[in-house]
Amino acid sequence: MNSFIAPVDLKNAYRLINHGPTVLVSAHHGGVDNVMAAAWACALDFAPPKLTVVLDKNTRTRQLVEQSGRFVIQVPTVAQVQLTNRVGSSSLADDPAKLAHAGVELFRMDGSALPFVAGCSAWLACTLIVEAHNQNTYDLFIGEVSGAWADTRVFRDGHWHFQDADPALRSLHHVAGGHFYAIGEAVVASPQE
Amino acid sequence: MNSFIAPVDLKNAYRLINHGPTVLVSAHHGGVDNVMAAAWACALDFAPPKLTVVLDKNTRTRQLVEQSGRFVIQVPTVAQVQLTNRVGSSSLADDPAKLAHAGVELFRMDGSALPFVAGCSAWLACTLIVEAHNQNTYDLFIGEVSGAWADTRVFRDGHWHFQDADPALRSLHHVAGGHFYAIGEAVVASPQE
């Protein structure tokens, strides 16, 4: 865990994913850690903060989420584009050393077994709100955020600072097939009269 | 309807929102049109394409969606940042001329009553898949995409072309309180060995 990581007030947790980044989903159960990429993750509520994420039935991470009832949603950076693409396109079922091959380094927070991916810009620890119909019919999972952290070099005082930070810390926004866009410049709407 | 608008193959429809843009949600019922902004919209499936969007109970647009069973999700541009912020922060209930005051121009497609917002970069016509528990408990709505279109100056041949297009056509990614980021540069993962 690097010294730039600081807790984010839960009332601002939605801001970590409000701009629509591709995320990494990680989970742990029975001695197994796994990480996958997901472009289909989205805020769902402010307080308590909730989010949705789509987890395909073929993924090992989904099994770990269902078994443990917990997961982490984290925001990877431009520096992690290869890692993000790799964990999104290989499966632990086919490659037991998937995480090592993708260059994933995990760390733990607050003594919990939840695996956090090092080098990301933000982390949301989630508890699964079981909704069997959504999970079975739509692969749609709902999590309540119980803790949030960010790298203060790029998110602090409740705001992203992409415009001032190292460009390698920008978020990734996947389109398809390994083609991403980085987040760009700030655009502020004028106050309304 | 401008001459740059072309249909998008439904198999590529998810790509219009895969990078996490803030969207505009529009709907029509009983002679009333409305448009709101939503940062909480997300792809849900590829084929048939589906998406989720969170619609607060206080919004008039949500009523129109529930009454008509149809809505449009569209991707506003940097040129529309004021429009996006205005339709996201005023209500038709308080201002019957909301759309005019926000500078919204609507057009119709294919003889349908669905209202499309002019000047956006992409449009997804959706049919509501009624899920009462999700709607009532989470304000979460699921739509199946029945038609998709894009402005070919920025999306064509199944791909976004933000890097070559007029910067005014970039997508907007809302953080909070009228503070957006524009989408940035392309980042492509290397092919895996």
Side-chain angles (χ1 to χ4, degrees), chain A residues 55-115:
Chain A
L55 303 174
D56 192 83
K57 290 182 180 63
N58 292 329
T59 64
R60 187 77 175 87
T61 302
R62 172 176 171 149
Q63 294 174 14
L64 300 176
V65 170
E66 291 176 325
Q67 289 164 333
S68 68
R70 300 190 68 194
F71 57 101
V72 182
I73 296 289
Q74 48 240 306
V75 181
T77 69
V78 163
Q80 294 174 306
V81 63
Q82 301 295 358
L83 180 160
T84 302
N85 197 47
R86 280 173 180 244
V87 298
S89 53
S90 74
S91 172
L92 195 66
D94 303 324
D95 178 7
K98 166 184 170 175
L99 297 187
H101 287 154
V104 171
E105 180 192 338
L106 298 174
F107 65 99
R108 314 285 162 175
M109 196 86 86
D110 291 346
S112 140
L114 272 176

Side-chain angles (χ1 to χ4, degrees), chain A residues 6-153:
Chain A
V8 172
D9 194 322
L10 282 184
K11 76 176 197 296
N12 292 327
Y14 76 95
R15 297 183 182 183
L16 299 174
I17 58 167
N18 210 67
H19 65 300
T22 292
V23 302
L24 303 179
V25 188
S26 57
H28 171 97
H29 184 75
V32 178
D33 290 314
N34 204 12
V35 181
M36 62 179 275
W40 298 356
C42 192
L44 177 66
D45 207 348
F46 294 106
K50 297 189 191 76
L51 53 77
T52 56
V53 62
V54 178
L55 303 174
D56 192 83
K57 290 182 180 63
N58 292 329
T59 64
R60 187 77 175 87
T61 302
R62 172 176 171 149
Q63 294 174 14
L64 300 176
V65 170
E66 291 176 325
Q67 289 164 333
S68 68
R70 300 190 68 194
F71 57 101
V72 182
I73 296 289
Q74 48 240 306
V75 181
T77 69
V78 163
Q80 294 174 306
V81 63
Q82 301 295 358
L83 180 160
T84 302
N85 197 47
R86 280 173 180 244
V87 298
S89 53
S90 74
S91 172
L92 195 66
D94 303 324
D95 178 7
K98 166 184 170 175
L99 297 187
H101 287 154
V104 171
E105 180 192 338
L106 298 174
F107 65 99
R108 314 285 162 175
M109 196 86 86
D110 291 346
S112 140
L114 272 176
F116 290 70
V117 179
C120 289
S121 60
W123 299 263
L124 299 148
C126 300
T127 301
L128 178 65
I129 298 176
V130 176
E131 289 282 2
H133 172 68
N134 284 336
Q135 294 168 208
N136 295 331
T137 307
Y138 300 112
D139 298 334
L140 180 67
F141 289 71
I142 296 177
E144 180 172 323
V145 179
S146 58
W149 298 264
D151 186 315
T152 55
R153 291 173 296 181

Side-chain angles (χ1 to χ4, degrees), chain A residues 18 40 131 138 163 181 190, chain B residues 18 40 131 138 163 181:
Chain A
N18 210 67
W40 298 356
E131 289 282 2
Y138 300 112
Q163 60 276 33
Y181 285 94
S190 307
Chain B
N18 211 67
W40 298 355
E131 289 282 4
Y138 301 112
Q163 60 275 37
Y181 285 94

Side-chain angles (χ1 to χ4, degrees), chain B residues 98-122:
Chain B
K98 166 184 171 174
L99 297 187
H101 288 154
V104 172
E105 179 191 341
L106 298 174
F107 65 98
R108 312 287 163 173
M109 196 85 88
D110 293 346
S112 140
L114 272 176
F116 290 69
V117 178
C120 289
S121 60

Side-chain angles (χ1 to χ4, degrees), chain B residues 30-98:
Chain B
V32 177
D33 290 314
N34 204 11
V35 181
M36 62 180 274
W40 298 355
C42 191
L44 177 66
D45 208 349
F46 294 107
K50 297 189 190 77
L51 54 76
T52 55
V53 61
V54 178
L55 303 173
D56 191 84
K57 290 181 179 66
N58 292 330
T59 63
R60 187 76 173 89
T61 302
R62 172 176 171 150
Q63 294 175 13
L64 300 175
V65 170
E66 290 177 325
Q67 290 164 334
S68 68
R70 300 190 69 194
F71 57 101
V72 182
I73 296 289
Q74 47 239 305
V75 181
T77 69
V78 163
Q80 294 174 304
V81 64
Q82 300 294 359
L83 180 160
T84 301
N85 197 46
R86 279 172 181 247
V87 297
S89 53
S90 73
S91 171
L92 196 66
D94 303 324
D95 177 7
K98 166 184 171 174

